[in-house]
Amino acid sequence: MSLLELQGLSAGYGPVQVLHGIDLRVDQGQVTVVLGANGAGKTTLLRALSGIIKGTGTVTFDGISLLGRPSEKIAALGISHVPQGRGTFDDMSVEDNLRVGAYLRPQHQAKGALDRWYDLFPRLADRRNQQAGSLSGGEQQMLAIARALMPEPRLLLLDEPSLGLAPNTTRMVFDSLGRINEETGTAMLVVEQNAHLALEIGSAAVLLEAGRVVSSGTSDELRGREDIRRAYLGY
Amino acid sequence: MTSPAPATSASSRLRGGLRGLRQAQPPLDAPVWLKWATFLGVLAVAVLVPLNSAPYVNFDLSMVMIYAVVGMGLNLLIGFNGQISLGHSAFFAIGAYIAAVGIQEGWHYLAVLPVALVVTWVVGYLFGLPALRLGGLALALVTLGLAIVTPAAIKRLDEYTHGQEGINVYTATPPDWSGLERDQWVYFLCLVALALVWVITRRISTGRIGRSLIAVRDNETVARTLGVRSSRTKTAVFALSAAYAGLGGVLYVYVVQFVGPDSFGLVMAIAFISLVVVGGLGTLSGAILGAFFIVYVPEWTADINQAASGMAYGIALILFMFVMPFGLGGLVRALLRPIVERLPGRRGPLSMRTPPQAGPRVGPDESAERDRDQIGI
Amino acid sequence: MQLFAQQVLDGLAMGALYGALALCVVLVYRASGIVNFAQGEMAMFAAFITWQAYQWGLPLVVAIALSMVVSFIFGAVCERVLIRPFGTSGAAHLSLIIVTLGLMLVLNSAAGWIWGYLTKEVPPMYGEGSVTLGSAAVAKQSVGIIITVAVVAALLFLLFQKTRLGLDMRAAASNPESARLSGVPVGRMLMLGWGLAGGIGALVGALVAPQLFLQPNMMAAMLLYAFAAATLGGIDSPVGALVGGLIVGLLENLAGTYVEFIGNDFKQAVALIIIMLVLLVKPEGLFGTKKVARV
C-alpha cells in the first residue's frame, strides 16, 4: 500500500474549479516531484492535501481518509506542509518558529529535535534569537523546512522551495532535502518549477496540465521524454 | 452556476432562502412605466397623508424623512464606498446648531439652510481629507471618537450653544397663503427636501460618479489605474454625506424646535448605523425603511423599558448582519424580483448593464461557514 | 509643585487603566484583526457583575474574580459565535465593525435594563484614604491600580514569552495558516485571546468603577481613551498599549488641569486629537509593526 493515495481529487476556490480528478500515489520514503506550468494547479494540489481548501474524491494517507479533515488534524497524522512563500512566523525568533513546529511532540523530545536541525542548518543556529522576518530568503526557506520537519512527519509537502532563491542557495536547499530523505526516510511531495534539481532528488514524477495529470512515471522516464525536456528542462 | 435546485426538504429550502437573502440584490430594473407609477403613487400618498393625520403623526413622519435624508448620505458612503462613519451625528449636530443659533439671532429659517449645507460640506471635506487616507478600521475609530466628543464639544462652546440648557426656537411657522398647520407645513418642507435628496443621490449613484464609487469600493488599486481619483472621490462623497446630515440637522430644528447637547451623542450615531443596516446597505430607498425603523422602534418599545430601544437596535445590527446583510431593501428586491421580471416594457438589452456587485461585501463568510463543522473550537 | 506631582500620579493611575483596556483591544486585534467596539461595554457589564456579587455578600476580591471568569467565558463565546462566522478576509471588516457595534448596544441596554441608569457605588478595591509619597498625598486606590496593572502586564508577559500556550497564541496571531499546518488549534487560540481580553477588561471595570461611578454609560469616554492609547502604542503591540495608556493618562490629566480651554469637560477631545495625529503622522504607532498602516 502506498503512503499517500489520491483518486479523482478535485478542488478549487469557490466556483472556480482548478483540479479535475487527480490520481497520484506516493510510496513510503519516496520523493515524488510535481511538475507543471504556472496555473496548472500544483499549489492547489498541496493545499487540498493539507486541508487548507476543500476537495472531493478520495485521498488516503496510510489508509486514513484525509478529505474533510481540518489542517491541524491532518498535521497531527504526520503530514507537514511548507507553503509557498515559506510561511514563517516573521515577528517571532528562529527558535520560537521551530518550537511552534514541535507543537505535536512532547516537550522533552522537542529539545533534541531542535539540536538536530541546528546541526543540519548551522546558519539557523547562529541566528536562533533573530526574528524570522529578518533572515535572508534562503535562511527563511531552511527555517520553514526545519520547522516542518520538527514533528518528524512521514510525508513532507514542499511548495516551490526554490522560489526567490539564488541558484547556489537553491542547490543547497535541494542537497539538504536529498540528505534528509536518505537519513530519515521521510517521503516528500515536491512542487517545483526548477525541474532539474527536483528530478535529481525525486524518484517519481507527475506532470500537471490544467488541473489534470498528463504524464507520470519515474524521474528517469520523464527526463527521457523529448516534450518534457523541451518544456521543463530547457534543452 | 444557478442550476435549479432539486426538490429538497423544507429546512434546506429555508436555508437556501436565507442564503439568498445574504446575497447582494442588484436593482430591480423595473419598466419605466412602473417606476413612474410607483413614484407618483408614493408621492400622492405622501402628499395626502399629512392633510388627514393628527399632528403627532405628521411630526413622526417628518422625523422619518429627516433620518432618511441622513441615511441616503450614509448609504452613499457605506453602500457605495464601502466605508463606515460612526460620526455623522456630529455633522447632524452642526447643522442643527447653526439653524438654532441663526434663527435665534433673527435669521429667516430658510436662510440658515444654505449656510448649514456649506459649513457641513466644508467641515466634512476638511475632516475627510486626512481621515479617508486611513482606511476602514481607522476611519471607524476616528469617527466614533467624533461621535463621543460631540456632546462635550457642544457643552464646551456654551457661549454660543448655551451648553446643557440647549436652545429653544419657535420657527417654521406656515405662511398664510398655504392655509396649513405648522405640523403640515414642516412635513411638506421635509418632503421636498427628501425628494430633492432622493433625485440627487439617484443621479449620483447610477451615473458616472456612482460607477467610480463602486470601482473604488471593490478594488481601489484597479480603479486608480483606470483613472478614478480615489481619494478625491472618497472625500467628495464624505463631504456630501456630511452635508446631507447637516441638512437633516436643520430640518430637525424645524420639527423639534429645540437643540441640546445630549441629543447628538453616541446613541444618535449608532441609530444612524442601524438605519442603514436595517434599511439595506447600498439600496437608496432602503434608507426610508430604515428611517421608519429608528423612528418607530423607540416609540413602540418605550412602554417596555427605557433600555428596550437600544436593545432592539443592537439586536437588529447583529441579526441583520447574520441573516439579511442587505437589509429590508434587499429583502424587498428579492421578493419583488420574480414579479417585476415578468412585466412587459422592460428595457431589454439595456438591462444587461448591471453593476458588478450591488452592495459592499458584508455578511457571514460562506466558506468560513462551511468550515464550521470541521474546524470545531 | 505638590499639585503637579499629584496630577502626575493620578494621571498615571488613570493611564494604567486606559493602558489595560487598550491591552484588551490589542489582544483582540492580534487575534482577529479587528477592533472590538464592545470592549468598553464588556468591561462595564463585568463591573455590574462585580457589584451584584458584592451586594450578595461576596468579598470584593472574590466578586471581582468571579466577574473575570464570567467575562473570560463571555469573550471566548463571542469570538466563536459572533466573530468567526464572518471569516478573516479584509472584506469582513465592515460586517465585524457593525456586529461589534451591535454587541456594544446590546450590552449597554442589557445593563440598563437589569440594573437601571442610576449610579451604583463600588468600593475601591484598595480602600479609601491616601498614602504620602514624598510631598504628595496619593490615594491608596491609585497606587493599588498602578501595581495591579503592572502585575497583570508581568503575568501576560510571562504567558506569552515563557509558556507553550503563549507561544502557540503568538504563532496563531502571526500566521494563522502556518500555525494550523503545524498542528496548532488556531480557533481555540482566538477564543483564548478574546477570553483574556474579556477577563482583563473585567478587572479594569472593577478598578475604574469607584472613580467613574458605576452606570451603563460609564465606559464610552474610557473606550475612547483606550483607543487613543492603543493607536499611540501601535494597535498590535501589547507593550505599546500600556505605554500609550500611561502617556494618554498623563496628557489628559495635565491638559485638563493646566490648559484652560480644555478644562475638565473637554478632556475627551485630547484623545480624539491623539488618535488623529498618530494615524496621520505615524500610523503604526510607537511600537506597532509597519504593516498595520493598511488597516
Side-chain angles (χ1 to χ4, degrees):
Chain A
M1 190 180 63
S2 301
L3 182 63
L4 179 76
E5 214 165 329
L6 282 66
Q7 277 171 1
L9 172 67
S10 297
Y13 302 90
V16 185
Q17 205 186 342
V18 180
L19 299 181
H20 308 271
I22 302 277
D23 296 334
L24 181 83
R25 339 162 32 123
V26 178
D27 287 328
Q28 209 89 42
Q30 186 193 42
V31 176
T32 302
V33 180
V34 182
L35 299 175
N38 274 334
K42 306 186 300 283
T43 295
T44 310
L45 173 65
L46 295 194
R47 289 169 70 85
L49 289 180
S50 58
I52 300 171
I53 57 168
K54 303 277 159 284
T56 55
T58 39
V59 177
T60 54
F61 178 72
D62 208 10
I64 302 166
S65 167
L66 291 187
L67 290 184
R69 274 176 208 269
S71 299
E72 58 262 39
K73 296 279 160 59
I74 290 178
L77 291 174
I79 297 181
S80 271
H81 183 165
V82 181
Q84 200 173 47
R86 301 168 196 122
T88 44
F89 304 105
D90 287 347
D91 54 353
M92 291 164 58
S93 71
V94 167
E95 181 137 334
D96 280 350
N97 267 266
L98 294 175
R99 287 174 59 216
V100 174
Y103 179 84
L104 295 160
R105 305 188 68 174
Q107 293 247 316
H108 63 274
Q109 287 180 16
K111 184 75 187 90
L114 211 58
D115 291 339
R116 184 165 164 208
W117 300 119
Y118 281 151
D119 282 345
L120 188 65
F121 297 121
R123 273 157 78 181
L124 293 182
D126 296 343
R127 291 175 174 31
R128 65 173 77 191
N129 292 319
Q130 214 167 306
Q131 284 210 334
S134 70
L135 299 183
S136 72
E139 290 163 347
Q140 281 187 9
Q141 190 63 57
M142 286 178 234
L143 176 60
I145 293 170
R147 193 198 70 221
L149 287 166
M150 284 295 283
E152 293 197 342
R154 283 187 292 164
L155 175 65
L156 184 64
L157 308 176
L158 288 150
D159 198 344
E160 301 243 9
S162 74
L163 192 76
L165 299 188
N168 277 346
T169 321
T170 309
R171 154 78 46 194
M172 205 181 68
V173 166
F174 273 92
D175 285 348
S176 316
L177 287 175
R179 255 169 59 206
I180 292 162
N181 174 250
E182 271 168 32
E183 285 170 18
T184 64
T186 308
M188 299 182 185
L189 186 62
V190 187
V191 157
E192 189 48 70
Q193 298 262 359
N194 192 331
H196 269 300
L197 281 168
L199 288 175
E200 239 166 65
I201 65 164
S203 52
V206 297
L207 176 61
L208 284 194
E209 254 170 41
R212 292 188 170 81
V213 176
V214 292
S215 312
S216 61
T218 67
S219 297
D220 292 335
E221 278 166 23
L222 263 75
R223 222 186 321 228
R225 278 181 41 187
E226 181 77 31
D227 53 333
I228 290 182
R229 267 215 335 252
R230 278 224 190 95
Y232 298 98
L233 300 172
Y235 59 87
Chain B
M1 266 192 296
T2 49
S3 56
T8 43
S9 69
S11 79
S12 75
R13 227 179 308 150
L14 179 67
R15 216 178 302 156
L18 281 180
R19 194 151 294 163
L21 287 179
R22 290 205 193 134
Q23 275 148 20
Q25 296 285 340
L28 276 180
D29 192 33
V32 176
W33 63 264
L34 182 63
K35 281 183 181 165
W36 277 103
T38 314
F39 180 73
L40 292 175
V42 170
L43 197 65
V45 172
V47 170
L48 289 176
V49 162
L51 304 177
N52 304 291
S53 299
Y56 77 91
V57 174
N58 289 339
F59 281 129
D60 280 350
L61 291 174
S62 303
M63 289 310 292
V64 168
M65 292 188 280
I66 290 170
Y67 289 141
V69 167
V70 180
M72 285 180 184
L74 276 175
N75 237 330
L76 272 180
L77 196 63
I78 304 178
F80 292 102
N81 238 9
Q83 293 174 306
I84 196 163
S85 162
L86 314 179
H88 268 47
S89 55
F91 302 114
F92 194 91
I94 293 174
Y97 268 93
I98 286 175
V101 172
I103 292 167
Q104 203 185 28
E105 297 287 316
W107 289 45
H108 188 270
Y109 65 91
L110 290 177
V112 296
L113 197 59
V115 179
L117 283 176
V118 171
V119 171
T120 44
W121 199 93
V122 171
V123 173
Y125 198 91
L126 293 179
F127 187 82
L129 212 51
L132 294 170
R133 286 206 343 233
L134 302 173
L137 205 53
L139 183 65
L141 274 184
V142 173
T143 50
L144 180 82
L146 192 63
I148 295 177
V149 167
T150 300
I154 294 172
K155 287 175 201 162
R156 186 69 198 81
L157 298 169
D158 51 3
E159 257 174 77
Y160 314 96
T161 63
H162 298 255
Q164 195 74 55
E165 249 171 74
I167 304 173
N168 276 297
V169 287
Y170 297 96
T171 186
T173 38
D176 292 337
W177 54 260
S178 68
L180 294 170
E181 296 296 321
R182 205 189 89 82
D183 59 295
Q184 294 165 329
W185 176 244
V186 170
Y187 175 100
F188 282 116
L189 288 176
C190 294
L191 184 62
V192 170
L194 177 63
L196 283 175
V197 164
W198 190 80
V199 170
I200 295 170
T201 315
R202 227 187 113 69
R203 282 207 73 95
I204 291 175
S205 60
T206 54
R208 197 178 62 83
I209 307 176
R211 284 200 299 275
S212 64
L213 289 183
I214 288 173
V216 169
R217 183 197 72 201
D218 287 345
N219 196 329
E220 189 160 342
T221 321
V222 172
R224 227 181 268 153
T225 62
L226 293 175
V228 175
R229 270 163 298 194
S230 96
S231 64
R232 243 169 82 176
T233 315
K234 281 180 171 179
T235 314
V237 169
F238 194 88
L240 186 66
S241 71
Y244 281 10
L247 171 61
V250 174
L251 297 172
Y252 173 92
V253 173
Y254 295 170
V255 175
V256 179
Q257 305 194 93
F258 169 76
V259 285
D262 294 323
S263 323
F264 304 114
L266 196 52
V267 177
M268 176 179 262
I270 298 181
F272 287 163
I273 302 300
S274 312
L275 182 171
V276 182
V277 170
V278 169
L281 298 158
T283 50
L284 197 46
S285 33
I288 299 172
L289 300 176
F292 271 100
F293 177 84
I294 67 164
V295 169
Y296 282 96
V297 160
E299 293 198 4
W300 291 334
T301 56
D303 296 340
I304 307 173
N305 191 292
Q306 193 186 347
S309 71
M311 183 65 90
Y313 289 171
I315 291 175
L317 282 178
I318 297 173
L319 216 57
F320 271 82
M321 272 298 116
F322 270 91
V323 184
M324 277 202 281
F326 294 95
L328 296 176
L331 178 69
V332 168
R333 280 181 179 176
L335 291 177
L336 292 183
R337 181 174 314 280
I339 305 168
V340 170
E341 281 179 353
R342 289 206 188 99
L343 292 174
R346 293 167 72 228
R347 282 176 303 172
L350 277 179
S351 66
M352 301 298 281
R353 355 165 268 191
T354 40
Q357 164 138 26
R361 279 185 51 193
V362 282
D365 183 340
E366 300 280 326
S367 62
E369 187 181 334
R370 274 199 302 277
D371 294 348
R372 193 182 303 166
D373 310 327
Q374 291 147 2
I375 290 181
I377 54 174
Chain C
M1 198 57 219
Q2 203 166 328
L3 176 70
F4 181 77
Q6 211 156 316
Q7 288 299 330
V8 167
L9 268 164
D10 283 348
L12 286 180
M14 265 331 258
L17 289 175
Y18 299 156
L21 192 61
L23 194 58
C24 304
V25 172
V26 167
L27 284 173
V28 163
Y29 181 84
R30 284 167 59 94
S32 305
I34 60 153
V35 168
N36 178 10
F37 286 94
Q39 202 74 60
E41 304 307 89
M42 284 163 87
M44 173 278 296
F45 202 87
F48 269 104
I49 296 177
T50 303
W51 175 83
Q52 187 68 68
Y54 181 70
Q55 288 296 305
W56 283 336
L58 290 179
L60 187 59
V61 180
V62 178
I64 292 176
L66 178 76
S67 107
M68 284 175 75
V69 171
V70 173
S71 302
F72 180 93
I73 297 169
F74 182 76
V77 170
C78 277
E79 193 283 326
R80 184 71 191 83
V81 176
L82 294 180
I83 306 301
R84 208 182 303 169
F86 290 91
T88 48
S89 66
H93 276 168
L94 183 57
S95 307
L96 288 174
I97 289 173
I98 293 171
V99 167
T100 61
L101 276 176
L103 183 62
M104 169 179 175
L105 266 185
V106 166
L107 287 173
N108 183 286
S109 318
W113 204 313
I114 302 172
W115 291 291
Y117 290 91
L118 297 176
T119 55
K120 310 257 184 294
E121 216 169 299
V122 177
M125 190 172 149
Y126 295 100
E128 311 278 354
S130 55
V131 287
T132 333
L133 287 176
S135 59
V138 191
K140 275 185 194 161
Q141 175 81 352
S142 295
V143 179
I145 284 173
I146 294 176
I147 293 171
T148 310
V149 172
V151 169
V152 169
L155 287 176
L156 268 188
F157 178 82
L158 289 178
L159 169 69
F160 279 121
Q161 299 299 330
K162 300 291 170 201
T163 69
R164 176 76 226 186
L165 187 64
L167 180 72
D168 297 335
M169 288 183 72
R170 279 189 291 141
S174 167
N175 190 335
E177 188 177 287
S178 288
R180 228 174 253 131
L181 291 173
S182 301
V184 177
V186 171
R188 235 176 281 166
M189 299 301 140
L190 300 186
M191 288 175 74
L192 204 54
W194 279 73
L196 279 178
I200 296 171
L203 184 61
V204 173
L207 288 175
V208 82
Q211 251 134 317
L212 296 180
F213 297 110
L214 180 58
Q215 46 100 3
N217 297 320
M218 77 170 179
M219 286 309 244
M222 179 91 184
L223 184 69
L224 185 59
Y225 292 126
F227 283 160
T231 318
L232 179 60
I235 191 114
D236 62 349
S237 163
V239 177
L242 290 167
V243 175
L246 293 178
I247 297 175
V248 170
L250 267 183
L251 278 180
E252 171 236 23
N253 233 26
L254 294 179
T257 313
Y258 294 105
V259 184
E260 203 184 328
F261 175 77
I262 290 172
N264 210 29
D265 308 325
F266 205 37
K267 285 198 285 192
Q268 295 162 10
V270 176
L272 181 61
I273 292 167
I274 291 174
I275 295 178
M276 287 219 69
L277 280 182
V278 173
L279 287 175
L280 289 175
V281 180
K282 196 170 160 41
E284 73 275 14
L286 297 176
F287 297 89
T289 41
K290 204 79 171 184
K291 63 173 186 210
V292 179
R294 86 183 137 78
V295 176

